[in-house]
Amino acid sequence: MKVGDKVEEGDIIASLDSNSIEQEIAKKKAAAQSTSKTIGASINAAKKRLNEAIENRKNGTNASIVSAENALNQSLDAYKAATKNYEDYKNSIDEGYNSEIVGEKNSRENLAYAEKSSKLKIDQLNRDLSESMNKSSENRGLAFDKENEAAAIQNNIDNLTRYSTELGIKMTDLQSQMGNSQGSGGNSSEEVDNSLRNQINNITREQEEVKIEISKLTEELANVKSQKEKYAQEADALDKEIKEQRKNLDQMNIDVDKARDDLKADSDKAIKSGKAREDQLKTLELNMETAKNAYEASQVALKSAEASADNEISMLRDALNSANANSNNLDEVELKYLNEELEKTKVKALKAGTITKIDAKEGEVPKTAIARIETVKDLKIESTVKEYNVHDVKIGTKVIITSD
């Protein structure tokens, strides 16, 4: 039989290995004339097998059951471990304490802080640069003003110096006139001398006043020149500072660009890491489901092993009772029993329907149901058709449905 075959109730869908039973039947037929001693030995052997089967079932030493129980415990441990791995990983993601997520968050915050810090530094550098440029311009202006002021003072000094020279020449001329007047004598000469002397005294006072004024202006000129030099030096220092500030500003702009690039790269990396975590979570979930299926299959296998052990005891007890009841006809009874067992090797459909699944494999001992029979007459199936096959499908077209 294969998946898709239709069967009626009672149809044979599979045959178990019956070679041993058939051989036993042949032997029994050939030994129809065996002695009662052989019958007694068979009864004793049946009793022994029955007692051993009951003892093993009672003490939990049945090999099939022990093996199934060990497999069940192992599959349960594997299922618990897979469930824990999945739940731990999922909780670490949902609650945000996953080491990768924490690391990505810290990295993102650090990079964002670096970018913000760099921008703030740029703003401060721009303010400092603007302030330095304003101060430099202001000092240059003050130095220029002082230079003009110094030129004006120097011009006054030069004018006073020329005026002082003119006074000196005038003084020399008056002194010469006075000398000539003293040589001539008379009242008229004395009046001239007095007049000249008064003029000389006036010039002398005026020379002193000019000298004092030149001294004041010279001191003021030195002070103005000092201030002009001070402003010029401060402007030069600020210009150097401006040059360094511009250099720092250029470097800071590079740092901001790098921080922005690093932040973008970190964001791209976080997206890829997030997808990797999703894949890992799906893998762990699949492992958990696989372990769960294996555990459930182990439960079924254990029940099957227990049922097989109980069936074996029942069969041995029935055989022994039958042998005891009909010891004189043991061969016939055993032949009937073997024929019944032979019939049991033929697995028949319990109901009419379609075979939708076959779990057993030829040559292997079935551990679960051999096949599944279902009524698919009114079954509705939704499926997809490849685009290039659409024109080949219409109402009434017969199709073959397969599944994984």
Side-chain angles (χ1 to χ4, degrees):
M1 303 297 289
K2 60 182 182 297
V3 173
D5 286 352
K6 294 182 179 180
V7 296
E8 298 295 333
E9 182 177 352
D11 287 353
I12 297 174
I13 61 173
S15 296
L16 303 179
D17 185 7
S18 61
N19 289 335
S20 60
I21 298 176
E22 292 173 353
Q23 292 174 2
E24 190 66 20
I25 291 174
K27 290 179 181 179
K28 291 302 176 182
K29 287 180 179 180
Q33 305 299 324
S34 297
T35 62
S36 59
K37 183 178 179 180
T38 302
I39 296 174
S42 297
I43 292 174
N44 290 333
K47 286 181 180 180
K48 183 179 179 181
R49 290 197 302 272
L50 177 60
N51 291 334
E52 288 177 351
I54 293 174
E55 189 69 17
N56 288 335
R57 186 72 174 92
K58 180 180 178 181
N59 297 334
T61 56
N62 180 280
S64 297
I65 294 177
V66 170
S67 176
E69 287 176 342
N70 290 335
L72 179 64
N73 291 332
Q74 291 175 0
S75 62
L76 177 59
D77 291 340
Y79 176 44
K80 288 180 178 179
T83 300
K84 185 177 186 302
N85 290 338
Y86 170 74
E87 291 178 348
D88 288 349
Y89 194 73
K90 186 175 185 299
N91 289 336
S92 73
I93 294 175
D94 293 341
E95 297 177 17
Y97 61 82
N98 179 275
S99 58
E100 292 181 357
I101 294 177
V102 172
E104 290 169 3
K105 180 181 178 183
N106 291 336
S107 175
R108 185 166 56 254
E109 289 177 350
N110 290 336
L111 291 172
Y113 175 78
E115 182 186 24
K116 181 178 180 181
S117 177
S118 297
K119 288 181 178 179
L120 291 175
K121 289 180 180 178
I122 286 178
D123 292 340
Q124 185 60 48
L125 284 173
N126 281 323
R127 287 193 294 270
D128 293 343
L129 178 61
S130 177
E131 184 179 353
S132 297
M133 293 175 67
N134 290 335
K135 287 183 178 179
S136 175
S137 177
E138 181 181 353
N139 283 328
R140 291 292 181 195
L142 292 172
F144 181 75
D145 291 342
K146 290 300 178 182
E147 184 175 6
N148 290 335
E149 185 178 353
I153 294 173
Q154 184 63 53
N155 186 55
N156 290 335
I157 292 174
D158 292 342
N159 290 335
L160 288 174
T161 300
R162 286 192 295 272
Y163 181 61
S164 177
T165 300
E166 292 174 357
L167 288 176
I169 294 171
K170 189 174 182 180
M171 172 72 77
T172 302
D173 184 50
L174 289 174
Q175 288 176 344
S176 176
Q177 292 180 18
M178 186 175 178
N180 293 332
S181 174
Q182 288 177 351
S184 63
N187 291 330
S188 177
S189 175
E190 184 177 353
E191 290 178 359
V192 170
D193 288 342
N194 288 334
S195 175
L196 292 172
R197 189 176 291 109
N198 288 333
Q199 291 182 36
I200 290 172
N201 289 335
N202 289 335
I203 290 173
T204 300
R205 283 194 302 273
E206 194 169 356
Q207 283 180 325
E208 288 298 325
E209 291 174 355
V210 170
K211 183 177 180 181
I212 292 172
E213 184 64 22
I214 289 175
S215 177
K216 288 181 180 180
L217 290 174
T218 300
E219 183 178 350
E220 183 178 355
L221 177 61
N223 185 44
V224 169
K225 286 183 176 181
S226 175
Q227 290 180 350
K228 179 253 181 182
E229 187 64 26
K230 171 189 172 185
Y231 292 136
Q233 289 177 354
E234 289 180 355
D236 291 340
L238 286 169
D239 287 343
K240 291 181 180 179
E241 184 176 343
I242 290 170
K243 183 178 180 181
E244 188 65 26
Q245 287 174 336
R246 283 175 173 164
K247 181 179 178 182
N248 293 337
L249 187 60
D250 291 340
Q251 182 60 49
M252 193 55 62
N253 281 320
I254 294 174
D255 292 343
V256 168
D257 291 339
K258 183 178 182 303
R260 188 180 296 110
D261 293 341
D262 290 344
L263 191 59
K264 184 179 182 301
D266 187 75
S267 177
D268 294 340
K269 180 181 177 182
I271 293 174
K272 293 180 180 178
S273 298
K275 292 181 179 178
R277 283 192 293 273
E278 289 177 1
D279 293 341
Q280 177 66 12
L281 188 62
K282 290 179 181 178
T283 299
L284 292 175
E285 185 177 15
L286 179 60
N287 292 342
M288 181 180 68
E289 289 298 323
T290 301
K292 179 183 178 182
N293 293 336
Y295 171 61
E296 291 175 348
S298 297
Q299 288 178 314
V300 173
L302 176 59
K303 290 180 180 179
S304 177
E306 291 173 343
S308 296
D310 292 338
N311 288 338
E312 181 185 11
I313 293 173
S314 179
M315 289 167 57
L316 291 172
R317 183 178 287 113
D318 291 343
L320 180 59
N321 291 337
S322 178
N324 286 329
N326 301 291
S327 58
N328 292 331
N329 272 327
L330 182 60
D331 289 330
E332 289 78 9
V333 171
E334 288 186 353
L335 280 172
K336 181 182 178 182
Y337 170 73
L338 288 172
N339 284 322
E340 290 175 352
E341 291 301 305
L342 180 61
E343 186 67 20
K344 290 180 180 178
T345 63
K346 300 174 182 178
V347 181
K348 299 180 180 180
L350 298 178
K351 64 178 182 178
T354 300
I355 296 177
T356 60
K357 184 178 182 183
I358 296 179
D359 293 323
K361 293 183 179 179
E362 185 176 356
E364 293 183 0
V365 177
K367 297 181 180 179
T368 59
I370 292 176
R372 181 185 296 170
I373 299 175
E374 296 178 301
T375 301
V376 297
K377 182 178 180 181
D378 298 324
L379 186 64
K380 293 183 179 180
I381 298 175
E382 290 185 2
S383 182
T384 57
V385 178
K386 294 182 179 179
E387 185 177 352
Y388 55 80
N389 288 332
V390 169
H391 299 293
D392 299 330
V393 179
K394 59 182 179 294
I395 295 176
T397 301
K398 292 184 179 181
V399 297
I400 298 175
I401 303 298
T402 61
S403 63
D404 293 335

